[in-house]
Amino acid sequence: MTASTNRAARSQVDRSRLEQIFNAHHAAVWRALRRRGLTPEAAEDATQETFLLAAERLEDIRPESERAFLLGTALRVAHTLGRKTVRWSLDEDMDQRSSEVRDTSERHADGELCDLVLSQIDPDLVETFVLYEIDGLTSPEIAGLLAIPLGSVASRLRRAREQFRSAAARLERNLKKEGEP
Amino acid sequence: MSRRPTELPERLLAGDATDFERRLIDAALEKRPSAAASARIARALGVTVTGIGTAAAAKALAATRVTAEGSIPVVASTSGVWTWVSVGVLGLGVAGAVVSARGRHTSRLEPRAVLAVPPAASTPETELGPRTWRAVPATTERPPASVSSSRRPTRRPTDGDLRDQIALIDSARDALTVGSPHRSLEILHRYQEHYPSGSFRPEATATMIEALVKLGRATDARALAIRFVAEHPDSLLAARVAELVGLPTPGSVP
């Protein structure tokens, strides 16, 4: 086998792997970017950038760490773009907001409601909550990604979860008052 | 047993989440880029999108169809539900183009080199299963050089039209699937009214024939089917349409 054939075969393998990780994780990457406050268009560009960076480092990415690598890269890309997580000021107007989001389609509305609840969590804690509860990362992965000790991951998650549950319960009560399912 | 301070609790979804909490987290998990966005990113990376979902993938692929040389959106029939699949060379059409796509990338982000991929094969891959229906849109446009979303400052008007057309056809099919042929016909009439030269006229007509059959309007369905088969004898849809109304399959030996 010639060197060029080897290179071609290798490239094909790389492309297959890139395709596989793209299909497995691009939605999670996009979600992470949107949560960082990027517009859909910016999130699309940043998702592309994330996978381009991943493509450059495919050899270094262990299969079991693909998701953590991609989310970490996505967060760095978002950081590079200089965006901060968008947070709504909902303490006073949650009732109004919940009515508004219920006007859209059911599934979309649930997503909006989730954002509403997540926005009630302390900014320092919400990332840990999302990475664990939604993105499914492990404690060491989160610790590595956020550069915090394992103990901090656990304590942040505990506090974030309390806040999530409290905000969710409050929203549910509000929705019931409005007569929503 | 006490939990170590670094040990994380069971995930909410796997544990004691309330129904409402579960609903919220499930909804968060369902959030994803639009199928068209996924297809655009995939194309820029030189990979093929899979698993977006049937209709969603169709919309994505159809929306990007105009940009993928040699790519043709296809409709497959499975148990009455039309599933869209890709026949195009979404991956191959841009295989070997990761580098070049990257080079042409005009994102706000700083361009970099990416992994080298061999040039595209000349033979397109197909994912056609048996009884696959081909939907060949009437328009064929050359692809832009790059698919970076930020390289779409002025979206071609036909893109929006295409999406709208696909949405209408999808809605009509969905209506059929849930047993509302009347509703399906209504949507298809709207499609014909808005897009008399639409890219998906064959699909619209085929769906209409199916709706008519379901409504028991056999004569109307048959008349429409005869005309359809005559106009599109080579279309894969023709076979399906013929079958629906009991006509001889086009191309079959009498």
Side-chain angles (χ1 to χ4, degrees):
Chain A
M1 204 181 263
T2 65
S4 63
T5 312
N6 276 332
R7 272 199 302 277
R10 178 60 174 276
S11 295
Q12 188 56 43
V13 170
D14 285 350
R15 191 166 75 90
S16 298
R17 186 169 176 215
L18 181 63
E19 186 167 295
Q20 177 254 315
I21 67 171
F22 172 81
N23 283 299
H25 304 299
H26 83 278
V29 166
W30 182 86
R31 277 197 300 269
L33 291 160
R34 289 285 285 129
R35 277 196 303 272
R36 300 297 289 191
L38 272 63
T39 63
E41 292 75 21
E44 185 180 329
D45 275 345
T47 301
Q48 183 177 323
E49 179 68 12
T50 299
F51 280 93
L52 287 167
L53 290 169
E56 291 172 0
R57 297 188 52 192
L58 273 184
E59 283 183 20
D60 304 330
I61 308 172
R62 285 176 290 124
E64 66 274 18
S65 306
E66 285 168 353
R67 196 175 181 86
F69 175 89
L70 290 166
L71 290 173
T73 304
L75 295 185
R76 279 190 291 277
V77 168
H79 181 74
T80 306
L81 292 175
R83 302 301 184 97
K84 297 269 194 300
T85 305
V86 167
R87 291 177 55 77
W88 296 350
S89 300
L90 301 165
D91 287 336
E92 287 80 31
D93 65 352
M94 187 184 258
D95 288 349
Q96 184 196 345
R97 284 284 194 162
S98 60
S99 294
E100 285 172 5
V101 295
R102 299 302 295 178
D103 287 342
T104 54
S105 73
E106 193 74 17
R107 188 181 296 178
H108 180 67
D110 281 350
E112 297 291 301
L113 291 176
C114 186
D115 287 345
L116 204 60
V117 170
L118 290 176
S119 74
Q120 299 293 296
I121 303 175
D122 191 305
D124 294 334
L125 310 177
V126 68
E127 198 75 74
T128 305
F129 179 87
V130 168
L131 289 172
Y132 185 69
E133 301 288 2
I134 297 175
D135 292 331
L137 296 195
T138 64
S139 176
E141 284 173 340
I142 298 169
L145 208 151
L146 300 180
I148 56 176
L150 285 175
S152 299
V153 175
S155 65
R156 285 187 188 189
L157 178 66
R158 197 166 43 247
R159 285 153 57 209
R161 189 181 275 194
E162 283 169 12
Q163 293 180 14
F164 175 84
R165 303 196 87 158
S166 164
R170 185 178 153 205
L171 178 59
E172 190 175 17
R173 280 196 301 275
N174 286 338
L175 290 174
K176 278 182 180 160
K177 266 192 260 173
E178 293 170 11
E180 295 289 345
Chain B
M1 193 166 59
S2 64
R3 179 174 279 129
R4 296 205 326 257
T6 59
E7 199 176 324
L8 299 190
E10 196 173 22
R11 292 180 211 277
L12 274 177
L13 272 186
D16 62 344
T18 65
D19 287 346
F20 186 66
E21 289 167 350
R22 205 173 286 279
R23 191 172 119 191
L24 295 179
I25 296 173
D26 279 342
L29 284 168
E30 284 177 11
K31 279 194 168 188
R32 53 189 311 126
S34 69
S38 293
R40 279 195 298 270
I41 303 168
R43 193 162 165 265
L45 293 167
V47 298
T48 305
V49 191
T50 59
I52 288 179
T54 53
K59 288 175 187 176
L61 293 169
T64 56
R65 172 199 58 79
V66 293
T67 65
E69 188 176 11
S71 177
I72 309 166
V74 180
V75 188
S77 170
T78 51
S79 309
V81 179
W82 296 11
T83 305
W84 291 70
V85 293
S86 165
V87 133
V89 279
L90 197 57
L92 287 176
V94 291
V98 175
V99 172
S100 55
R102 185 62 168 133
R104 292 191 298 266
H105 186 73
T106 55
S107 161
R108 289 171 282 282
L109 305 169
E110 188 65 25
R112 286 184 195 85
V114 288
L115 84 144
V117 177
S122 56
T123 310
E125 282 177 344
T126 62
E127 297 172 22
L128 283 171
R131 293 195 51 184
T132 303
W133 296 19
R134 186 197 307 227
V136 185
T139 58
T140 50
E141 294 178 56
R142 285 285 299 171
S146 171
V147 289
S148 166
S149 59
S150 55
R151 198 180 169 88
R152 297 175 268 107
T154 51
R155 185 182 288 281
R156 292 177 183 178
T158 52
D159 284 357
D161 284 353
L162 268 181
R163 268 196 294 277
D164 188 43
Q165 288 183 51
I166 293 165
L168 284 171
I169 298 288
D170 274 354
S171 303
R173 284 202 300 269
D174 288 348
L176 263 190
T177 306
V178 299
S180 304
H182 270 122
R183 170 84 184 132
S184 180
L185 276 184
E186 207 176 281
I187 297 167
L188 291 165
H189 284 312
R190 199 178 341 144
Y191 175 88
Q192 289 180 331
E193 193 179 314
H194 287 192
Y195 301 103
S197 306
S199 302
F200 300 99
R201 278 167 299 162
E203 288 70 36
T205 308
T207 308
M208 187 172 279
I209 291 165
E210 191 169 349
L212 289 170
V213 168
K214 288 196 174 175
L215 283 170
R217 293 168 56 183
T219 310
D220 292 341
R222 193 175 168 83
L224 202 54
I226 289 170
R227 202 167 73 198
F228 182 91
V229 172
E231 286 174 358
H232 308 278
D234 300 325
S235 162
L236 289 170
L237 284 168
R240 168 73 175 151
V241 162
E243 186 184 312
L244 277 171
V245 298
L247 292 174
T249 306
S252 64
V253 179

